[in-house]
């Protein structure tokens, strides 16, 4: 099958939400775009993911604060009492001494070097922020796909119910006709019995589809956050399907590998292991701090803030770790294993993505083929039923022929409806796997 490049699939679907109240019933029409937007706004999972982004951004701000110097105001009052025994000249003696010290100062501490702790620590929180954003996008994509599926399932159930209801009414009319003709001898009893059986089957079809529609409606309410039992959701749909350009698995995988949030999360986690390792090993390297103070110091509280009591100090503090009990070797081994695990997780995610893409592309191609077959079958079944009705009126076709062809047309219509929505669902799944923003694709 040759597929030409055309515009993306355009689907025009409308949801009618009817809120039943004793006094007056409010009617609100919602299209697919509005439904998707409402569902994403409600999604508790999406709100939680958004909160994680805010937390990650605040962590970046807090970590950046460690780069700047710390300034603190200090004050102290010390009372000291000393006693000593001494020998002087020809005899022994003792003396007592006491003294007070009062101090007030501003102290500054600036880290100059800490083995890469500050820079790698900032890298850690930045990567965590990126992971939070990719997680938000991943949750949004999954939520959007769930809403699209629910909307399509509800629309499909509604369309099938309309078709089944028409089929039931038509078959009921055949029961009435064959019953009347049997009484006047124009129709056989077996023709009437077959018409009754087909009508019974149509009733069962309607009941099953109604149950499917109730389940689809309940799922849609859940995704929209609608709790009212009085809320009735009905779908008024017009679908227009345009084939998309044929795409190879490698081309799809190339785009997905770049944009799929699941892959990006695993890539960032692999990067995070390296930064965490550098942060953990920073304590085994020398650290250099600039320390300074400026203030007042006096033995007398009353003269503490005189100019003669001013004092200041400035210096460098160097700390060189000499032995850590071989902990640094253990740390390196631990992070080596963590990096290996992160790399394997990324490889598994890539393999799953490739497999899912290939499967979805095959399903999309199959759905397109089934849709074309269903279109042809529906057209032919309608023509056959029209000929059978004319033949029945002319006496050259039996009622059994008409009833059987009506059943065939009904099956063709159901297949056409199913094929339409199967194609739309597979297309939405493909877009989600490739990392195409579903909200932008469907909310125009």
């Amino acid at each position: 099958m040759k597929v030409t490049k055309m515009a993306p699939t355009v689907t025009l679907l409308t949801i009618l939400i009817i809120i039943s109240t004793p006094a007056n019933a409010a009617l609100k029409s919602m299209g697919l775009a509005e439904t998707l937007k409402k569902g994403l706004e409600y999604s508790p999972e999406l709100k939680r993911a958004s909160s994680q982004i805010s937390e990650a951004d605040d962590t970046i701000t807090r970590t950046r604060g460690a780069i700047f110097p710390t300034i603190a105001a200090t004050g102290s009052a010390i009372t000291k009492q000393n006693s000593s025994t001494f020998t002087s000249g020809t005899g022994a003696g003792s003396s007592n001494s006491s003294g007070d010290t009062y101090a007030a100062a501003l102290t500054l501490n600036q880290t100059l070097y800490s083995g890469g702790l500050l820079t790698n620590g900032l890298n850690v929180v930045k990567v965590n922020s990126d992971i939070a954003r990719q997680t938000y996008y991943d949750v949004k994509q999954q939520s959007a796909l769930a809403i699209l599926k629910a909307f399509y399932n509800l629309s499909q159930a509604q369309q099938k119910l309309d078709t089944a209801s028409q089929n039931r009414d038509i078959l009921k009319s055949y029961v009435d006709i064959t019953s009347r003709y049997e009484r006047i001898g124009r129709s056989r009893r077996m023709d009437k019995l077959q018409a009754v059986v087909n009508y019974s089957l149509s009733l069962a079809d309607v009941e099953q589809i109604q149950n499917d529609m109730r389940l689809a409606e309940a799922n849609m309410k859940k995704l929209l956050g609608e709790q009212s039992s009085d809320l009735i959701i009905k779908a008024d749909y017009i679908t227009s399907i345009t084939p998309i350009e044929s795409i190879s698995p490698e081309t799809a995988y190339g785009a997905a590998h770049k944009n799929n949030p699941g892959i990006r999360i695993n890539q960032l986690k692999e990067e995070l292991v390296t930064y965490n390792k550098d942060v953990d090993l920073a304590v085994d390297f020398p650290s250099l701090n600039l320390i300074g103070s400026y203030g007042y110091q006096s033995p007398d509280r009353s003269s503490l803030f005189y100019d003669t009591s001013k004092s200041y100090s400035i210096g460098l503090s160097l700390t060189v770790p000499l032995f850590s009990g071989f902990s640094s070797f253990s740390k390196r081994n631990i992070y080596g294993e963590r990096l290996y695990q992160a790399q394997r997780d990324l490889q598994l995610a890539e393999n799953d993505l490739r497999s899912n893409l290939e499967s979805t592309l095959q399903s999309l191609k199959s759905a397109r083929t089934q849709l074309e077959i269903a279109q042809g079958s529906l057209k032919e079944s309608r023509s056959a039923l029209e000929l059978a009705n004319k033949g029945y009126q002319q006496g050259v076709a039996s009622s059994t022929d008409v009833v059987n062809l009506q059943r065939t047309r009904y099956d063709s219509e159901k297949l056409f409806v199913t094929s339409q929505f199967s194609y739309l669902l597979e297309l939405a799944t493909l877009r989600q796997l490739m990392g195409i923003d579903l909200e932008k694709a469907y909310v125009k």
Side-chain angles (χ1 to χ4, degrees), residues 258-277:
K258 192 183 304 180
N259 300 314
N260 185 278
I263 297 297
R264 287 291 301 129
I265 289 172
N266 279 281
Q267 289 172 340
L268 290 168
K269 285 182 177 179
E270 180 183 350
E271 186 179 346
L272 186 61
V273 171
T274 301
Y275 291 132
N276 279 326
K277 171 188 172 184

Side-chain angles (χ1 to χ4, degrees), residues 178 182 187-195:
T178 53
E182 182 195 15
S187 177
R188 298 172 298 177
R189 178 169 176 76
M190 59 180 293
D191 294 335
K192 174 190 172 183
L193 291 175
Q194 183 170 1

Side-chain angles (χ1 to χ4, degrees), residues 325-399:
F326 303 107
S327 64
S328 62
F329 295 104
S330 299
K331 291 177 185 177
R332 294 178 189 276
N333 291 334
I334 290 172
Y335 283 102
E337 290 299 324
R338 290 181 181 176
L339 181 61
Y340 175 81
Q341 294 167 14
Q343 290 171 342
R344 297 290 78 77
D345 289 343
L346 176 58
Q347 184 177 357
L348 289 172
E350 290 172 342
N351 292 342
D352 287 343
L353 178 61
R354 186 183 294 274
S355 175
N356 291 335
L357 277 171
E358 291 176 355
S359 175
T360 302
L361 285 170
Q362 277 296 121
S363 298
L364 185 64
K365 181 179 179 182
S366 175
R368 179 61 190 171
T369 302
Q370 290 180 39
L371 181 58
E372 291 178 346
I373 294 173
Q375 285 176 319
S377 298
L378 180 59
K379 181 179 179 180
E380 292 171 356
S381 66
R382 287 174 176 173
S383 298
L385 181 61
E386 185 178 351
L387 291 174
N389 280 320
K390 290 180 179 179
Y392 183 70
Q393 294 173 357
Q394 296 170 358
V396 295
S398 68
S399 61

Side-chain angles (χ1 to χ4, degrees), residues 149-219:
K149 286 183 177 180
F151 192 94
Y152 288 153
N153 286 336
L154 179 59
S155 301
Q156 180 177 194
Q158 181 63 42
Q159 188 167 349
K160 282 185 176 180
L161 181 60
D162 288 349
T163 301
S165 298
Q166 293 174 7
N167 179 63
R168 176 200 59 197
D169 295 342
I170 291 173
L171 291 179
K172 177 64 169 64
S173 68
Y174 285 138
V175 171
D176 296 339
I177 292 173
T178 53
S179 296
R180 186 168 63 252
Y181 281 4
E182 182 195 15
R183 288 195 297 269
I184 64 177
R186 184 177 172 182
S187 177
R188 298 172 298 177
R189 178 169 176 76
M190 59 180 293
D191 294 335
K192 174 190 172 183
L193 291 175
Q194 183 170 1
V196 170
V197 169
N198 284 327
Y199 174 62
S200 299
L201 292 175
S202 71
L203 291 176
D205 274 348
V206 169
E207 181 61 31
Q208 178 61 52
I209 294 172
Q210 283 178 333
N211 185 62
D212 293 341
M213 191 175 69
R214 284 192 291 268
L215 294 175
E217 182 183 359
N219 187 38

